Amino acid sequence: MRIRIDTLLKSTVANEDCRIAGWVRSVRHSKGVAFIVVNDGSNLAGIQVVADQTLTNFEEVCGLGTGSALQVEGALVASPAAGQAFEIQAHSVHVIGASDDSYPLQKKRHSFEFLRSIAHLRPRSNTFGAVFRLRSRLAQAVHQFFIQKNFLYVHTPIITASDCEGAGELFRVSTLDAAMPPMLDGSPDFSQDFFGQKTGLTVSGQLEGELFALAFGDIYTFGPTFRAENSNTARHASEFWMIEPEMAFADLADDADLAEEFITYLCRFALEECTDDMAFFDRQIEHGLLERIRNVSEASFARIDYTDAIGRLERSGVTFSYPVEWGLDLQTEHERYLSEQVVGGPVFITNYPKEIKAFYMRQNDDGRTVAAMDLLVPKVGEIIGGSQREERLDLLDARMSELGIAQEPLWWYRDSRRWGSCPHAGFGLGFERLVMYLSGMENIRDVIPFPRTPRHCEF
Ligand code: 4AD
Ligand code: MG
């Protein structure tokens, strides 16, 4: 059985016989000794294998191409070389899959743009090794956080008939003949479609999550989310993962408290559990990252009312590309100014104008704002969007009719306000934006294994 390199290095028992398998990062040889760095994905540095002329295939080993797959048997010994405690003195090196000079990941540093074009190979690079190890650990930490708080994990549907956010960004799911759909009064007749109605991929599990919160108290979802939003930015993907907790008997302040506890937990987790990869990001991706994350893990987050935030932006003296005016939504440049310049850390903006927010948000007594919150962080901007929900059926109905949202298809959602309705609140954390924030990576395409963005769905 092979042992993973990270496990081997933690064992710290020298002279042990071991077997590893992985891919060659580099080979050099001089005076009858070859030094091969092998990486199996389990850690950043891999391990140095030292092979000498006693190996029957020493020539073959010296000629190994970067990227070759190897199995090595040998002894783990203290390494005389700087920067590593141990190395493997090889008894045998078995070449499992050869590689050659045409392998695109040769040793030099490549641009992230280039690496995106070889998304099938980039997981074998240092940066993407670190990113996807962090991503995996964070996904596990998300579950740990909610397990420890006794939240119920619910799988909300991926195919849905309702556009939760009301932004018309549903990808259509249909088995109708795209070239010749059955027609009714001049438009496609979706009653003949697979589900007997118009359906799409979910933009959020919230509405179904609310129903579960009204039975189990505290719940969360963690699943893929799809948005046919034609915005080509460094922060938007067409397919991303979202974590959506929902709490019954909770208001907006409880919601912000949970979000704050969640984010600081994840920051501490990354610092404590992903030490090597986080140190790599600090060295290679963003200088000062560790200190930034450490500060956040200890901070309590600022909370600013939307109306005050607009005042701050108006008085800033900065010329923004998008207008600043009460009633308009905040753009990324405004969000970044608020978190980077005004606060210097994460900040909740609360109580947005109802016109720019979704139908389900609870109306405030002023008649013009809703109990919404966005969490903005330096560099990334909005990382969380959430709200207290409108639990009063009459006010929900009034808002739906103002927005032209039909009652009939949401009968089940309205029912939840008829029997045992109660104050409840929740939020959505964009998982990729979290990974960006914790790694310092600046493009969402570089924290998703195989990103889907407008006109890109290759791998
Ligand atoms: O603010 P949003 O649209 O909120 C909701 O979907 C609510 N239903 C959540 C809730 O209250 N349960 O999205 C939530 C978060 C955003 O703050 C952002 O981090 C992320 O999801 N997000 C995206 N991430 C990547 N690509 C996109 N196109 C995203 N759209 C939203
Ligand atoms: Mg939002």
Side-chain angles (χ1 to χ4, degrees):
M1 264 284 281
R2 78 178 176 101
I3 183 168
R4 288 162 41 113
I5 293 171
D6 65 334
T7 315
L8 178 67
L9 289 174
K10 276 181 206 137
S11 71
T12 67
V13 184
N15 279 321
E16 203 180 335
D17 275 337
C18 59
R19 179 192 294 171
I20 59 149
W23 294 268
V24 173
R25 283 295 172 82
S26 65
V27 185
R28 61 191 173 83
H29 57 95
S30 70
K31 302 192 194 106
V33 187
F35 301 94
I36 316 154
V37 176
V38 178
N39 187 296
D40 67 358
S42 64
N43 73 348
L44 184 69
I47 195 162
Q48 172 163 283
V49 172
V50 182
D52 62 27
Q53 282 168 319
T54 58
L55 296 193
T56 51
N57 62 342
F58 183 68
E59 296 261 294
E60 183 191 24
V61 169
C62 291
L64 276 172
T66 307
S68 308
L70 296 184
Q71 178 180 292
V72 177
E73 287 177 338
L76 183 71
V77 296
S79 173
Q84 60 196 21
F86 293 96
E87 61 188 23
I88 292 176
Q89 188 69 50
H91 306 324
S92 76
V93 174
H94 173 50
V95 182
I96 296 173
S99 177
D100 60 28
D101 289 352
S102 63
Y103 180 60
L105 273 180
Q106 298 296 335
K107 241 205 139 190
K108 74 182 178 90
R109 228 180 141 153
H110 299 286
S111 72
F112 290 148
E113 286 77 11
F114 170 72
L115 289 168
R116 258 170 242 152
S117 74
I118 52 164
H120 58 311
L121 297 172
R122 68 177 183 170
R124 295 194 204 172
S125 68
N126 280 341
T127 303
F128 290 92
V131 165
F132 294 121
R133 272 188 301 274
L134 176 68
R135 185 177 166 121
S136 166
R137 297 304 311 278
L138 284 173
Q140 293 162 345
V142 164
H143 288 297
Q144 263 177 40
F145 176 80
F146 289 113
I147 289 168
Q148 157 216 301
K149 296 185 81 66
N150 276 316
F151 277 51
L152 182 110
Y153 176 36
V154 51
H155 297 120
T156 48
I158 288 171
I159 300 175
T160 174
S162 54
D163 177 2
C164 170
E165 296 306 303
E169 289 166 351
L170 250 65
F171 281 102
R172 189 81 55 74
V173 171
S174 173
T175 52
L176 292 181
D177 180 348
M180 270 221 295
M183 302 296 282
L184 183 70
D185 300 335
S187 43
D189 180 9
F190 290 104
S191 71
Q192 294 186 48
D193 205 345
F194 191 88
F195 295 106
Q197 59 180 319
K198 212 168 162 174
T199 51
L201 297 178
T202 185
V203 297
S204 160
Q206 178 195 321
L207 301 188
E208 294 88 354
E210 282 185 50
L211 305 178
F212 265 55
L214 295 180
F216 296 93
D218 298 322
I219 65 97
Y220 72 106
T221 71
F222 184 6
T225 309
F226 308 87
R227 294 195 186 176
E229 188 179 4
N230 203 356
S231 50
N232 243 314
T233 78
R235 275 169 293 275
H236 289 87
S238 317
E239 177 178 304
F240 61 99
W241 282 61
M242 188 155 49
I243 299 127
E244 296 185 275
E246 189 75 30
M247 297 178 293
F249 311 109
D251 64 12
L252 190 66
D254 299 322
D255 204 26
D257 288 347
L258 179 73
E260 184 171 322
E261 192 186 338
F262 187 34
I263 296 292
T264 52
Y265 175 90
L266 294 169
C267 289
R268 280 196 304 279
F269 177 91
L271 292 173
E272 287 162 16
E273 303 288 327
C274 310
T275 330
D276 289 353
D277 290 326
M278 291 300 285
F280 169 84
F281 295 131
D282 188 69
R283 271 193 323 272
Q284 300 287 340
I285 306 295
E286 180 194 334
H287 296 291
L289 174 97
L290 290 175
E291 195 187 315
R292 171 166 72 76
I293 304 296
R294 211 171 289 126
N295 289 341
V296 172
S297 74
E298 290 158 4
S300 64
F301 300 175
R303 299 180 189 190
I304 304 181
D305 204 86
Y306 166 89
T307 304
D308 296 338
I310 292 294
R312 302 271 189 120
L313 291 168
E314 280 170 345
R315 291 193 303 274
S316 69
V318 178
T319 316
F320 294 108
S321 342
Y322 288 88
V324 175
E325 193 187 315
W326 200 98
L328 297 182
D329 207 355
L330 299 177
Q331 302 296 323
T332 301
E333 55 174 349
H334 309 136
E335 297 178 337
R336 290 189 58 173
Y337 179 84
L338 290 166
S339 62
E340 289 166 20
Q341 308 300 323
V342 176
V343 173
V347 54
F348 288 105
I349 308 295
T350 57
N351 301 315
Y352 284 75
K354 64 177 181 186
E355 272 72 29
I356 56 174
K357 291 292 182 187
F359 76 97
Y360 52 71
M361 296 193 184
R362 191 176 198 276
Q363 295 170 58
N364 290 326
D365 293 342
D366 63 12
R368 57 179 203 156
T369 62
V370 286
M373 63 170 204
D374 278 3
L375 180 65
L376 315 180
V377 295
K379 292 189 66 158
V380 177
E382 178 191 336
I383 192 167
I384 279 179
S387 61
Q388 187 173 339
R389 321 305 189 187
E390 185 55 82
E391 85 283 14
R392 301 160 296 187
L393 185 59
D394 51 340
L395 284 150
L396 180 69
D397 280 346
R399 190 67 192 131
M400 285 171 65
S401 81
E402 268 170 36
L403 290 169
I405 298 173
Q407 285 187 6
E408 201 280 320
L410 285 174
W411 63 272
W412 45 273
Y413 189 73
R414 294 180 61 254
D415 263 6
S416 67
R417 273 66 177 166
R418 293 176 62 197
W419 302 300
S421 187
C422 71
H424 59 288
F427 63 80
L429 168 67
F431 186 55
E432 285 74 13
R433 294 197 186 169
L434 171 79
V435 180
M436 290 168 74
Y437 182 61
L438 291 178
S439 64
M441 297 296 287
E442 291 186 344
N443 196 308
I444 197 164
R445 293 165 182 78
D446 296 332
V447 298
I448 301 181
F450 303 100
R452 272 86 182 89
T453 53
R455 315 197 66 77
H456 290 279
C457 191
E458 187 173 5
F459 296 93

